[in-house]
Amino acid sequence: MPKSAESLIPLSVLEAVADYFKILSETSRLHVLQCLKSGPMNVMELCDETGLGQANLSKHLKLMTQAGMLSRQPKGTSVYYEITDPLVFEFCELACGQIGERLRQQAETFLQAASPSPTPNAVKRNTRGQKSRVKAHAAGPQR
């Protein structure tokens, strides 16, 4: 049964959700969030932790602050940033869990495909590099 037009999320809301996830789609921003999980940090501390240059980091911090993920608190000559939306970590944990499970399944499939399975009349190379046929049931009477 198709959903009625009334139950659909308005396009303007979907655009806001897409913008939110765009912020999370950048590795450097995820790294910043990871650093801020332990508490507020100033720009220099974040530069040291992330390895990002100050100009690049400031650009990311501005976008994240405008998106409402971070707050900016001036303290003396420094500005400290902190997480204002702790749900962001739940999104990240959920995504990491899903990606981890997918990778586990792929690794399992790969290992199954890579493991040799004996087959009747498999081709084997002898010590001189020549091909020879090997019977699957070597034991037993030969006729």
Side-chain angles (χ1 to χ4, degrees), residues 71-136:
S71 67
R72 185 179 185 276
Q73 302 295 325
K75 290 184 183 174
T77 59
S78 295
V79 174
Y80 283 80
Y81 290 87
E82 65 182 321
I83 303 292
T84 57
D85 185 3
L87 273 179
V88 73
F89 296 116
E90 290 183 41
F91 289 140
C92 291
E93 288 172 15
L94 186 63
C96 287
Q98 286 296 105
I99 292 167
E101 178 60 23
R102 189 176 324 128
L103 290 174
R104 187 196 62 71
Q105 289 173 353
Q106 288 173 350
E108 189 176 297
T109 302
F110 175 78
L111 289 173
Q112 287 174 354
S115 66
S117 57
T119 58
N121 300 320
V123 175
K124 180 181 174 183
R125 295 203 180 262
N126 63 21
T127 55
R128 292 187 209 143
Q130 299 168 327
K131 291 181 183 178
S132 63
R133 293 261 173 216
V134 177
K135 299 249 182 190

Side-chain angles (χ1 to χ4, degrees), residues 35-95:
C35 292
L36 291 172
K37 190 172 185 178
S38 61
M41 296 176 83
N42 67 31
V43 175
M44 292 313 297
E45 292 168 334
L46 285 166
C47 281
D48 291 343
E49 284 292 317
T50 62
L52 296 172
Q54 187 173 353
N56 189 18
L57 177 62
S58 292
K59 176 188 75 167
H60 291 302
L61 292 171
K62 180 180 178 183
L63 287 170
M64 294 166 77
T65 301
Q66 289 173 339
M69 288 180 191
L70 303 181
S71 67
R72 185 179 185 276
Q73 302 295 325
K75 290 184 183 174
T77 59
S78 295
V79 174
Y80 283 80
Y81 290 87
E82 65 182 321
I83 303 292
T84 57
D85 185 3
L87 273 179
V88 73
F89 296 116
E90 290 183 41
F91 289 140
C92 291
E93 288 172 15
L94 186 63

